[in-house]
Amino acid sequence: MSCILHIETSTEACSVAISQDGMAIFTKEDLKGPSHAVQLGVFVDEALSFVDSRGIPLDAVSVSCGPGSYTGLRIGVSMAKGVCYGRNLPLIGLSTLELLSVPILLNSDLPEDALLCPMIDARRMEVYSAIYDRALTLKKAISADVITEESYKEYLNKQPVYFFGNGAKKCKEVINHKNAIFIDDIIPLAKWMFPLAEKAFVNNNFKDVAYFEPFYLKDFVASKPKKLL
């Protein structure tokens, strides 16, 4: 098993963790943010001091790479790159929406046909979302969605869909369907990154440290050619 430093700054929460042998052995969290510019460096220094003082060699750095807050993602990825350069470590980039799904999969008793719809608030009635099955197979691509009462009906009419993340709260009054289940207080945190990071590490799924950038979803959407009406 590997020892991985995890960094998560995609929302207002700022968190850092270290996992070894599939368990979190160090965690630091600030849920009151956003205070990434102040707290992240302190948390990372404490994490590195923790492993160094115990003679534990780091094998990689993983970072939550979006979608999410532009500023938060930029700070988190910059820090992860800095540690990778300084210690000659490989970089793992993880989808924030997949990360949000991890505590649901670990702690909830889901039906076999359940679908997961993690949501990150994108202001107004817009959310960043995707839909996954229980194996985290992508069923609906990551997108910026304006939520209406018709949203996700093609999935809701067939099977239960679990909505969670800080974007789901504002959707409760809009998405009214017997198959819509809302789970509160699910936050993307570094301590939940280890299952995804371990899988990426085993598969040698690393990012190019020099050229890797966060997934700024709105920039991606804006860059698509627009259809002429």
Side-chain angles (χ1 to χ4, degrees):
M1 283 286 188
S2 53
C3 181
I4 303 175
L5 170 68
H6 309 282
I7 296 172
E8 214 301 317
T9 55
S10 64
T11 63
E12 289 190 348
C14 177
S15 61
V16 170
I18 293 175
S19 65
Q20 185 181 36
D21 299 333
M23 296 180 59
I25 60 173
F26 174 94
T27 60
K28 292 289 289 189
E29 299 170 356
D30 180 1
L31 308 183
K32 300 176 182 179
S35 57
H36 310 84
V38 175
Q39 296 285 32
L40 183 59
V42 175
F43 288 175
V44 169
D45 283 346
E46 291 181 9
L48 296 177
S49 294
F50 177 88
V51 292
D52 289 345
S53 66
R54 290 161 176 78
I56 304 172
L58 277 177
D59 297 301
V61 178
S62 79
V63 63
S64 179
C65 60
S69 160
Y70 179 92
T71 301
L73 291 171
R74 179 174 55 80
I75 292 172
V77 169
S78 295
M79 178 63 71
K81 285 185 172 186
V83 177
C84 288
Y85 275 123
R87 299 201 171 209
N88 194 29
L89 297 172
L91 176 65
I92 298 168
L94 301 178
S95 163
T96 305
L97 295 175
E98 287 191 24
L99 168 58
L100 270 170
S101 303
V102 170
I104 302 296
L105 292 170
L106 292 179
N107 300 320
S108 301
D109 186 14
L110 303 175
E112 288 293 329
D113 62 344
L115 294 177
L116 308 179
C117 185
M119 291 177 159
I120 293 176
D121 192 353
R123 300 183 181 179
R124 298 184 178 88
M125 283 309 296
E126 192 173 20
V127 297
Y128 304 131
S129 73
I131 292 181
Y132 304 92
D133 65 14
R134 290 179 55 188
L136 285 184
T137 301
L138 194 63
K139 297 299 182 180
K140 185 189 82 69
I142 298 173
S143 60
D145 300 332
V146 177
I147 301 302
T148 71
E149 61 183 8
E150 297 299 314
S151 297
Y152 314 115
K153 276 285 183 69
E154 61 185 288
Y155 305 97
L156 288 164
N157 287 337
K158 298 176 183 177
Q159 56 207 111
V161 181
Y162 288 74
F163 298 94
F164 48 91
N166 65 3
K169 183 177 181 180
K170 64 186 181 184
C171 300
K172 280 186 177 181
E173 301 302 319
V174 181
I175 301 176
N176 294 303
H177 196 286
K178 64 179 182 179
N179 281 334
I181 301 101
F182 289 85
I183 303 177
D184 297 328
D185 302 323
I186 301 299
I187 303 171
L189 294 173
K191 67 182 179 182
W192 300 120
M193 294 171 70
F194 71 89
L196 302 175
E198 289 283 356
K199 181 179 179 181
F201 186 86
V202 169
N203 293 327
N204 291 314
N205 186 10
F206 302 123
K207 305 299 182 182
D208 188 311
V209 178
Y211 296 104
F212 177 69
E213 293 183 357
F215 182 31
Y216 299 128
L217 181 55
K218 284 197 172 180
D219 287 352
F220 172 76
V221 172
S223 68
K224 290 184 177 180
K226 297 180 180 179
K227 293 182 180 180
L228 297 177
L229 299 178

